[in-house]
Amino acid sequence: MRLKRVEQPAPEFWTQFDKELRAKQLTAILEKRRWWHSFPRAYGLVARHPMAMGTAAALVIGLFSVNEFRGNARAPVAASVDDVTYAPSESVAPTHSETAAAIRVSAPVAERPAVPASRMVSVRTSEESFGQELTSMISSRRPSQSLASISSRDETMQIERDERLEAPMGRSLAVINLAAIQAAEPELTRNMLGFSQNFQPAPASDREQITEPLAQMPSPSEERRARLMSEGLPMMASLESAPAPSNDDVMNRLSDNRVYESISRDYDLGANRLSIKF
Amino acid sequence: MLEAIKVIGKTLVASPERVREADDDFAVVRQVQGGEVGAFDRVILKYRGRIYGIIYNLTSNREDAADLTQDTFIKAFQSIHRFQGQASFFTWLYRIAINSTLSHIRKNRGRSFFSLEGVNSDEPASREIIAALTDKTGADRDTHVRELQEKLNEAMQKLSINHRTVITLFEIDGLSHQDIAEVMDCSVGTVRSRLHYAKQLLQAELQPYIGK
């Protein structure tokens, strides 16, 4: 070890050493320090105060976790079934429309994308909601205004036909509902049905002038009888003097089945919805 | 608080010369931190031999030692604004030197070769040592000294990095156990243990030359 101690460089070595060191110092001064050179400094700061840094890190993680937990707790589990407007997906088959609607409804309302007006469908998933709407329309005693509001709303909507309406149960419920409404408010029902192109009941004043076409045509037997009577009797019976059929007779001749078939063809009336075609 | 107690304890334990040296170093460092860059040359002049000696004895290569010594001073100059005076400046500078050297040795493991300094026989200390180690004269003596120097450096290189560092700092540079513990960031007991084990290994390696 004493020998190792005397291993010393020559004095001229230090001259060269100083020159090289000066050149390296200048190079180091001119060289830009890279961004990762600050890492050891940050590590040194952490290593110098490990307890403080560890506590701070634990606090930050804890606060973040609490915020996340509160955020999850505040999120709605499921939106209300009523008054939910949604756009059915193109990929969902019509036969699974109920399932698709249930899936859509369970999603948070705020996360739903904007729905184009042409694809909007108003869903009433319960019979009570439909009944409530009709009840409110009836109680307002202003059928023209209610119908106007419905029509204006329907102008912005393209209502899709739901296959559920094709179910016999839905059809029967629709018939029952329509019959009940017709019994309660015949005038309102008549106004509502007036939107149909195929079924346009005329006003009562017009209906009084309508006569049965068959009644206007003279039967061959009557013609023959009239001819015989004209030969034999001076008085001739005129068919024009025949009394016009009453309004009740005309309504009775229209069978209920025809009315309901026409309604079902032009109106998609279900137990829980009303769809109108234009 | 703990750091302050440690500093006070070291100050009480350290010798007056060491305390004075530390104060001088701290004053120079304050000057450099204050913007007087030229004051750092005094630090270089004061410590370059010791730093070079440590690195040379760790690497057994004079070129590597010169480069690493220069890198040590450049790093110290770049980082001197972070020196807070909690430890003595030479401890801080030694730590930079040893860390740079250990990093270099780890990077170039298996690619090291000897490039030894000569022993100046004109100096009285060297002459005395050579005379004590050899009983020969002339060319044979120089050859014998050279052979002994190579064997000693081979034995040093067979030690682990930590054992080599401990024995270099204690036996060659003359640092105390406490200073070595601070430089190597370990306990004094660990330093003593490593020193004892390193001496045993060196004795075992140089056994054929000890009896001569």
Side-chain angles (χ1 to χ4, degrees):
Chain A
M1 287 295 143
R2 288 164 65 190
L3 183 63
K4 288 287 287 177
R5 282 183 206 135
V6 296
E7 288 181 8
Q8 297 289 339
E12 55 267 21
F13 168 81
W14 293 115
T15 310
Q16 183 68 25
F17 177 87
D18 287 340
K19 280 183 186 173
E20 289 177 3
L21 178 60
R22 193 69 59 194
K24 282 188 178 180
Q25 276 182 324
L26 289 172
T27 307
I29 288 168
L30 292 175
E31 188 181 5
K32 266 186 110 176
R33 286 178 70 81
R34 303 291 179 186
W35 58 271
W36 56 80
H37 289 165
S38 59
F39 282 172
R41 192 173 181 179
Y43 174 74
L45 185 68
V46 173
R48 206 177 297 155
H49 308 288
M51 286 294 291
M53 291 292 175
T55 309
L59 277 173
V60 167
I61 292 169
L63 285 173
F64 182 74
S65 304
V66 167
N67 279 341
E68 284 291 311
F69 177 73
R70 283 182 181 169
N72 290 336
R74 261 190 237 121
V77 176
S80 174
V81 174
D82 292 339
D83 300 329
V84 174
T85 303
Y86 81 109
S89 175
E90 292 281 334
S91 61
V92 178
T95 52
H96 301 293
S97 58
E98 286 184 5
T99 311
I103 291 166
R104 294 277 179 176
V105 163
S106 63
V109 176
E111 292 177 3
R112 268 177 221 136
V115 180
S118 61
R119 301 286 303 155
M120 288 177 73
V121 173
S122 180
V123 177
R124 306 290 177 202
T125 55
S126 68
E127 190 175 354
E128 288 79 13
S129 62
F130 179 70
Q132 284 170 2
E133 185 172 324
L134 284 176
T135 307
S136 65
M137 288 165 58
I138 291 164
S139 63
S140 67
R141 298 286 180 186
R142 287 184 295 179
S144 58
Q145 186 180 350
S146 302
L147 290 170
S149 64
I150 291 173
S151 64
S152 63
R153 185 171 40 171
D154 290 341
E155 282 174 2
T156 61
M157 294 180 180
Q158 180 182 351
I159 301 172
E160 285 192 349
R161 183 185 185 90
D162 194 341
E163 203 173 25
R164 188 170 49 176
L165 287 175
E166 299 296 330
M169 187 64 181
R171 186 181 290 272
S172 62
L173 284 172
V175 168
I176 292 165
N177 284 337
L178 183 63
I181 293 164
Q182 202 173 12
E185 292 288 333
E187 188 177 355
L188 175 64
T189 313
R190 214 175 296 124
N191 286 332
M192 286 176 68
L193 298 179
F195 282 98
S196 172
Q197 292 174 352
N198 298 330
F199 182 79
Q200 292 181 347
S205 58
D206 296 341
R207 266 187 275 140
E208 288 174 358
Q209 295 174 3
I210 293 173
T211 55
E212 181 66 30
L214 292 174
Q216 292 178 359
M217 290 181 64
S219 63
S221 61
E222 285 181 350
E223 282 183 356
R224 190 167 51 249
R225 194 190 318 153
R227 192 174 57 247
L228 292 173
M229 290 295 288
S230 63
E231 291 174 356
L233 295 175
M235 284 180 61
M236 188 177 67
S238 174
L239 293 174
E240 291 178 357
S241 62
S246 67
N247 203 14
D248 293 335
D249 294 338
V250 174
M251 292 300 289
N252 288 333
R253 286 172 190 174
L254 287 172
S255 66
D256 287 343
N257 289 334
R258 277 186 62 194
V259 171
Y260 294 143
E261 280 176 8
S262 174
I263 291 168
S264 301
R265 191 166 58 247
D266 300 321
Y267 298 87
D268 288 337
L269 188 62
N272 54 357
R273 70 182 64 198
L274 172 63
S275 303
I276 301 169
K277 270 189 179 177
F278 292 97
Chain B
M1 184 66 183
L2 195 64
E3 289 292 326
I5 292 170
K6 279 184 183 177
V7 170
I8 292 168
K10 283 176 207 166
T11 307
L12 293 174
V13 169
S15 64
E17 291 176 5
R18 182 56 61 86
V19 173
R20 201 182 316 120
E21 189 183 52
D23 290 342
D24 293 344
D25 290 344
F26 195 68
V28 173
V29 169
R30 284 286 177 234
Q31 287 177 353
V32 177
Q33 287 175 340
E36 197 178 334
V37 181
F40 195 72
D41 289 344
R42 279 186 276 166
V43 174
I44 293 172
L45 280 174
K46 184 177 180 180
Y47 286 104
R48 68 181 184 185
R50 292 164 72 174
I51 297 292
Y52 176 82
I54 291 167
I55 295 173
Y56 168 75
N57 287 308
L58 287 173
T59 59
S60 299
N61 188 297
R62 51 185 298 183
E63 286 80 20
D64 287 349
D67 286 341
L68 288 169
T69 305
Q70 290 161 1
D71 290 344
T72 300
F73 284 114
I74 288 169
K75 283 180 186 174
F77 180 72
Q78 288 175 338
S79 310
I80 201 163
H81 60 279
R82 289 190 305 207
F83 178 71
Q84 304 293 327
Q86 293 174 348
S88 59
F89 179 73
F90 89 93
T91 306
W92 183 72
L93 191 62
Y94 272 39
R95 194 177 290 179
I96 293 173
I98 287 170
N99 287 336
S100 301
T101 307
L102 297 185
S103 174
H104 171 80
I105 289 170
R106 288 192 187 105
K107 267 193 250 177
N108 298 288
R109 188 170 288 172
R111 290 192 287 129
S112 60
F113 57 93
F114 292 156
S115 171
L116 303 178
E117 292 283 359
V119 178
N120 190 0
S121 57
D122 295 337
E123 288 186 5
S126 302
R127 214 181 302 137
E128 185 185 345
I129 291 167
I130 290 168
L133 290 173
T134 62
D135 53 356
K136 297 177 181 176
T137 58
D140 285 347
R141 191 182 67 180
D142 290 343
T143 306
H144 186 68
V145 168
R146 190 77 182 173
E147 183 186 347
L148 191 61
Q149 190 184 358
E150 284 181 3
K151 291 295 175 189
L152 188 58
N153 279 286
E154 278 179 14
M156 285 284 285
Q157 293 301 316
K158 284 181 182 175
L159 297 176
S160 71
I161 293 173
N162 286 328
H163 290 107
R164 206 186 315 165
T165 306
V166 169
I167 207 157
T168 300
L169 292 175
F170 184 78
E171 292 288 345
I172 300 172
D173 201 55
L175 292 185
S176 65
H177 292 162
Q178 180 67 39
D179 291 338
I180 295 170
E182 285 180 28
V183 169
M184 296 191 69
D185 199 16
C186 62
S187 67
V188 176
T190 305
V191 170
R192 286 189 177 132
S193 167
R194 286 175 180 171
L195 189 60
H196 177 72
Y197 188 70
K199 281 181 179 175
Q200 279 187 338
L201 287 175
L202 278 178
Q203 283 178 354
E205 282 290 325
L206 299 172
Q207 189 64 40
Y209 299 92
I210 290 173
K212 287 184 181 178

